[in-house]
Amino acid sequence: MKVAQVDVVYGAGSTGKIVKAIHDHLLDVGHDSKVFYGRGPDEGEPNVSKISHDLEVFVDAGLSRLTGYTGVFSPMATNKLLASLDAFQPDVVHLHEIHGYFVNYFRLIEYLKKRNIPVVWTLHCEMAYTGRCGYAFGCDQWKTACQKCPQLNDYPRSLLFDRSAVQFERKKNLLSDMDRITFAPVSNWLHDRLTQSFLKNKQATVVHNGINTAEIFYPRDTADLVRRHQLEGRYIALSVAPDLMSERKGGSWVLEIAKRSLGKPITFVMIGVVEKLTDLPPNVIVLPPTRDQNELARYYSLADVFLLTSQSETFSLTCAESLACGTPVIGFDSGGPAEVAPRPYGYFVPFGQVEKLASLLLDGYRGELPIAGDDECVKYARSSFSNERMCEDYLNLYEESRRHV
């Protein structure tokens, strides 16, 4: 079987790691696989092609902000992708995140429709059924028709114009008559949202994301990290995101809880901070983002609890990674994470209720939270979120999509 994957990134970030895992698995079991991605370094791997030039991405982002339209620019990258697909002649095209200023996704979908190519589209976010945004948060206009978007200043940012109504109708018209497509929401929570959108009658199967539980995300020795950061006798709460201080990831909530925890032997380790923070509480250690997955696994293993403060997550790969390293989760109930880490592997409170989350953390520190131990977390994560399980699920979905007419 010949499978082509399209994503904004490859090998890095949550979706990029998933794409690489699927690609490697397909090659290992004898299928013909190619990946086309838009942003990041040129990896130089066989059968993996970066289709965009950084300058074109920059121009696409600028035009999107000026005009309010998204997913309609990048003509050179789009032409390169469509020509590559013509040359490869895939049996199935697997779409991931096709926004991100690197391709005209309206042209891409029209191409796939015209050639009647079976499509599997993994929904990592909500962009497929909204007028413009990847995370609708509290807005529910997408259930009927987007208009007067309340999130124009959020990604994908528009400086002047609100095109949400136009783009919503165009997506609806584009996808409504597309028959050979199967959506793969990454959580039951996202699947429920899908069934309330204009895509409610489309074929959809939940496929939980996978992680490398065999070679990367497993419990590690962390004695050197304890010495490096002087953490002897400390209870450690870890938070991780590439953009941890963004509003969606909620790093400011971590700092608030840290301030409330002063005087307790609790240290907060924040990985993914690029900003210069002032008035940093003395019980907080901030570290930059890392692409070193082995280093990340060591920090997961170091922590006593993983602290999630996101406003919205359709799955939360970091929760799965933490569990695989033996560390349970507490956080805000923000969509998919409570499904990834159900009790006793995780405990969640309503978003924004910082007092309750701080109290939950203290219960964990005092040993008063009936939370799963290290071995239980590892066993659960390996059985639920291995790359092998995810890849086999997608292989089955590819076969089903080829039969679906």
Side-chain angles (χ1 to χ4, degrees), residues 300-311:
Y300 283 129
S301 302
L302 170 71
D304 294 286
V305 69
F306 184 75
L307 179 60
L308 184 80
T309 52
S310 296
Q311 185 177 1

Side-chain angles (χ1 to χ4, degrees), residues 145-156:
C146 288
Q147 55 187 328
K148 296 182 179 179
C149 179
Q151 300 181 49
L152 289 181
N153 288 325
D154 297 335
Y155 168 82

Side-chain angles (χ1 to χ4, degrees), residues 253 332 349-355:
W253 293 110
F332 291 138
V349 301
F351 177 76
Q353 295 192 9
V354 66
E355 290 186 7

Side-chain angles (χ1 to χ4, degrees), residues 220-231:
R220 307 293 189 96
D221 184 286
T222 61
D224 61 324
L225 293 180
V226 173
R227 290 192 296 270
R228 181 192 307 174
H229 298 297
Q230 300 179 349
L231 295 171

Side-chain angles (χ1 to χ4, degrees), residues 55-365:
L55 178 60
E56 189 173 27
V57 171
F58 178 79
V59 171
D60 189 323
L63 290 173
S64 296
R65 292 179 181 182
L66 287 172
T67 66
Y69 292 109
T70 59
V72 299
F73 303 109
S74 293
M76 291 184 291
T78 304
N79 289 340
K80 183 176 180 180
L81 173 60
L82 301 188
S84 298
L85 291 174
D86 271 340
F88 184 43
Q89 293 291 301
D91 297 307
V92 177
V93 170
H94 187 168
L95 304 178
H96 292 270
E97 297 282 42
I98 56 173
H99 57 88
Y101 312 123
F102 79 101
V103 72
N104 183 324
Y105 51 74
F106 292 99
R107 280 186 61 198
L108 173 59
I109 296 297
E110 288 286 6
Y111 167 92
L112 296 171
K113 285 171 59 176
K114 183 177 180 180
R115 282 160 177 74
N116 202 31
I117 301 173
V119 173
V120 171
W121 189 348
T122 294
L123 298 186
H124 298 282
C125 71
E126 301 186 85
M127 187 73 73
Y129 55 74
T130 67
R132 57 183 306 280
C133 63
Y135 297 89
F137 300 117
C139 176
D140 61 0
Q141 292 190 89
W142 52 272
K143 295 180 182 179
T144 51
C146 288
Q147 55 187 328
K148 296 182 179 179
C149 179
Q151 300 181 49
L152 289 181
N153 288 325
D154 297 335
Y155 168 82
R157 188 180 183 191
S158 177
L159 298 175
L160 299 171
F161 303 104
D162 180 1
R163 310 293 191 188
S164 58
V166 174
Q167 297 236 143
F168 179 89
E169 288 302 320
R170 190 175 179 189
K171 285 182 185 178
K172 185 177 179 179
N173 293 333
L174 182 71
L175 294 168
S176 292
D177 64 347
M178 189 172 185
D179 296 323
R180 302 198 74 182
I181 187 167
T182 302
F183 290 96
V186 295
S187 64
N188 290 306
W189 176 85
L190 188 55
H191 182 272
D192 181 63
R193 305 271 281 185
L194 181 72
T195 60
Q196 300 176 63
S197 75
F198 62 77
L199 297 172
K200 60 188 175 185
N201 294 322
K202 297 298 181 183
Q203 183 77 19
T205 300
V206 173
V207 179
H208 285 140
N209 290 333
I211 57 176
N212 189 337
T213 59
E215 299 172 321
I216 297 177
F217 295 107
Y218 60 87
R220 307 293 189 96
D221 184 286
T222 61
D224 61 324
L225 293 180
V226 173
R227 290 192 296 270
R228 181 192 307 174
H229 298 297
Q230 300 179 349
L231 295 171
E232 292 84 356
R234 306 288 293 185
Y235 185 85
I236 302 162
L238 173 70
S239 297
V240 175
D243 53 345
L244 185 55
M245 297 308 299
S246 67
E247 184 177 0
R248 186 170 78 85
K249 295 299 184 180
S252 60
W253 293 110
V254 179
L255 297 178
E256 174 63 26
I257 295 171
K259 291 175 183 177
R260 292 168 180 258
S261 304
L262 289 171
K264 305 286 193 306
I266 302 174
T267 296
F268 296 80
V269 178
M270 302 175 66
I271 299 179
V273 178
V274 295
E275 300 83 354
K276 282 194 174 183
L277 303 180
T278 58
D279 299 323
L280 194 68
N283 57 350
V284 174
I285 297 171
V286 295
L287 299 170
T290 179
R291 288 188 57 156
D292 187 335
Q293 298 300 288
N294 288 291
E295 179 184 34
L296 192 56
R298 293 172 69 233
Y299 276 99
Y300 283 129
S301 302
L302 170 71
D304 294 286
V305 69
F306 184 75
L307 179 60
L308 184 80
T309 52
S310 296
Q311 185 177 1
S312 183
E313 296 283 350
T314 55
F315 180 79
S316 184
L317 213 61
T318 54
C319 285
E321 291 169 351
S322 179
L323 291 171
C325 294
T327 302
V329 180
I330 63 169
F332 291 138
D333 188 353
S334 53
E339 184 179 327
V340 176
R343 294 189 180 189
Y345 310 102
Y347 286 82
F348 297 88
V349 301
F351 177 76
Q353 295 192 9
V354 66
E355 290 186 7
K356 288 187 176 180
L357 186 53
S359 178
L360 202 62
L361 178 68
L362 288 177
D363 288 344
Y365 156 67

